[in-house]
Amino acid sequence: MSTSPSLLIAVMNKIPLELRMWWEDLGKSEQNKVNLHLGGLTGLLKIRPRGDIIKALVTFWDPTHNVFHFSDFELTPTLEEIAGYMKSTAGLRHKYLIAPRAVNSHKFMDLLKINKGIPYSELEGGFSTRHFIYQKYGHVGGFNDPENGVCSKGNRTKWDEHRRFAFMVAFLGLVVFPQKDGNIDLRVAVVVKVLVINAKSTLAPMIVSEIYRAVTACKAGADFFEGCNLLLQMWMIEHLCHHPQYMSYGSAEKSCIEEFNTRVSGFKLPEGFGEWIARLRAITTGQIEWTLGWLPVEEIVYIPATGPYFLLMGLRGIQPYAPTE
């Protein structure tokens, strides 16, 4: 009996303990400051990765049109849905798009305010180990460590600012744009810089692009999903949890990600690759939740003025986006 290629795909299957501890150690005040830039994405720290969903979804992916093709309908993650999880749907078409920039080791250390005179063997090939960042900023004791190499000059306010920046780099690099080896792409630091200095910037197009790229790569035989598998699994589950009537969820206090488990509670979900394949093969258009009640969207981005599709800039490449097809 042959093994399905989808079964060989690995995903980011565990949030690093150091990242969870770092988040908790920041405290509520610093967490709120991080969320000003990341929106609701930090809620992903409490979502359990489901590799079985991602492996099953790859089977249904149409890389020519960037859609999941099921029995009698097609479905694809949209900019509005991903932006909704981030609590940043307002004025989406007027947002500033983020483009990745090449970053060498010196530039990366400069962005993280780390003394370039210290050894940086853990920054090779365009990537950083998570240990390198964590040992500088992951615990509050790093502020008083004279060997840390952080350029805060004894100023706690500056150190806290640099620490928030470093956390965002680690979080995005490990959870939203994961690598097979668990390292962090140095270009993520420039992405965070744009988020911090430009309040009108949005990560949604980059996240969607990387999800498309990852599913396409896995469909072609790649063995690791390099997109945000947590957002993709949540998106699929929510569309499967069909309500017979339109329903509205959510509160002003919690993000859409934090309330995810509440929204889907009571629905029996498949367990394991085989059950997910069977469910997705059997699902029909009448069993899908087409409108997500919690999504506060007044307008949608669906067709450009210059052609049949948009080009979404990802961290590692460009993907076409045509939600009207």
Side-chain angles (χ1 to χ4, degrees):
M1 180 177 176
S2 62
T3 301
S4 169
S6 295
L7 286 172
L8 304 178
I9 299 170
V11 302
M12 188 284 297
N13 59 10
K14 186 177 182 180
I15 305 291
L17 178 61
E18 309 101 287
L19 194 65
R20 292 176 183 270
M21 293 173 61
W22 188 351
W23 177 244
E24 294 301 323
D25 192 51
L26 284 177
K28 191 64 176 178
S29 176
E30 293 297 289
Q31 289 175 2
N32 289 339
K33 292 175 183 178
V34 168
N35 287 337
L36 287 176
H37 307 296
L38 296 184
L41 283 177
T42 52
L44 293 174
L45 291 169
K46 297 181 179 180
I47 299 296
R48 178 172 69 94
R50 292 285 306 269
D52 54 345
I53 302 177
I54 305 303
K55 293 174 183 179
L57 279 174
V58 169
T59 305
F60 297 87
W61 183 246
D62 175 0
T64 302
H65 300 96
N66 277 354
V67 297
F68 292 103
H69 185 79
F70 301 106
S71 61
D72 61 350
F73 68 96
E74 294 176 341
L75 206 60
T76 193
T78 66
L79 292 173
E80 290 76 19
E81 289 170 325
I82 298 303
Y85 283 123
M86 300 168 59
K87 298 175 67 175
S88 64
T89 56
L92 182 59
R93 67 190 181 98
H94 301 295
K95 295 282 189 178
Y96 180 83
L97 303 183
I98 302 175
R101 297 285 187 271
V103 178
N104 59 28
S105 300
H106 280 204
K107 178 65 176 177
F108 182 79
M109 293 175 73
D110 183 57
L111 289 169
L112 270 72
K113 308 303 180 185
I114 300 172
N115 188 334
K116 291 187 284 292
I118 68 171
Y120 52 91
S121 58
E122 292 180 86
L123 305 179
E124 295 183 351
F127 301 94
S128 168
T129 64
R130 70 173 187 255
H131 174 72
F132 179 82
I133 301 177
Y134 184 79
Q135 70 178 358
K136 305 299 179 187
Y137 289 110
H139 51 89
V140 70
F143 173 68
N144 295 314
D145 184 356
E147 305 298 322
N148 206 14
V150 175
C151 307
S152 298
K153 298 181 179 179
N155 186 319
R156 180 57 187 263
T157 300
K158 284 188 175 294
W159 189 79
D160 285 340
E161 178 184 341
H162 302 160
R163 191 184 189 207
R164 293 193 303 270
F165 187 98
F167 174 83
M168 288 188 279
V169 171
F171 173 82
L172 291 179
L174 294 171
V175 178
V176 179
F177 307 117
Q179 300 284 333
K180 182 179 180 179
D181 57 10
N183 289 335
I184 298 164
D185 193 315
L186 300 188
R187 291 173 293 183
V188 173
V190 174
V191 172
V192 173
K193 179 183 178 182
V194 175
L195 288 173
V196 170
I197 66 177
N198 192 332
K200 292 185 177 181
S201 59
T202 176
L203 268 177
M206 183 171 284
I207 293 174
V208 172
S209 179
E210 287 300 295
I211 288 175
Y212 285 179
R213 176 186 175 278
V215 188
T216 297
C218 289
K219 183 78 172 184
D223 61 0
F224 184 79
F225 189 87
E226 289 188 333
C228 189
N229 54 294
L230 294 178
L231 284 175
L232 182 59
Q233 75 179 45
M234 291 169 60
W235 169 85
M236 189 68 253
I237 288 173
E238 298 223 56
H239 280 287
L240 284 179
C241 293
H242 178 56
H243 303 273
Q245 296 179 343
Y246 176 83
M247 301 182 72
S248 180
Y249 307 87
S251 68
E253 283 123 27
K254 289 187 177 182
S255 74
C256 296
I257 295 177
E258 288 178 318
E259 293 189 330
F260 167 75
N261 288 324
T262 299
R263 289 195 301 272
V264 303
S265 64
F267 288 90
K268 180 173 175 52
L269 298 172
E271 288 289 339
F273 175 77
E275 286 192 16
W276 272 102
I277 287 289
R279 177 70 174 276
L280 295 176
R281 282 176 177 167
I283 198 77
T284 61
T285 185
Q287 300 169 309
I288 283 290
E289 185 75 359
W290 291 103
T291 302
L292 302 182
W294 54 264
L295 191 60
V297 174
E298 296 181 355
E299 60 180 16
I300 62 173
V301 177
Y302 69 94
I303 189 169
T306 57
Y309 54 81
F310 294 93
L311 292 177
L312 301 184
M313 180 76 74
L315 188 68
R316 308 171 183 95
I318 298 173
Q319 290 291 321
Y321 176 73
T324 58
E325 288 192 356

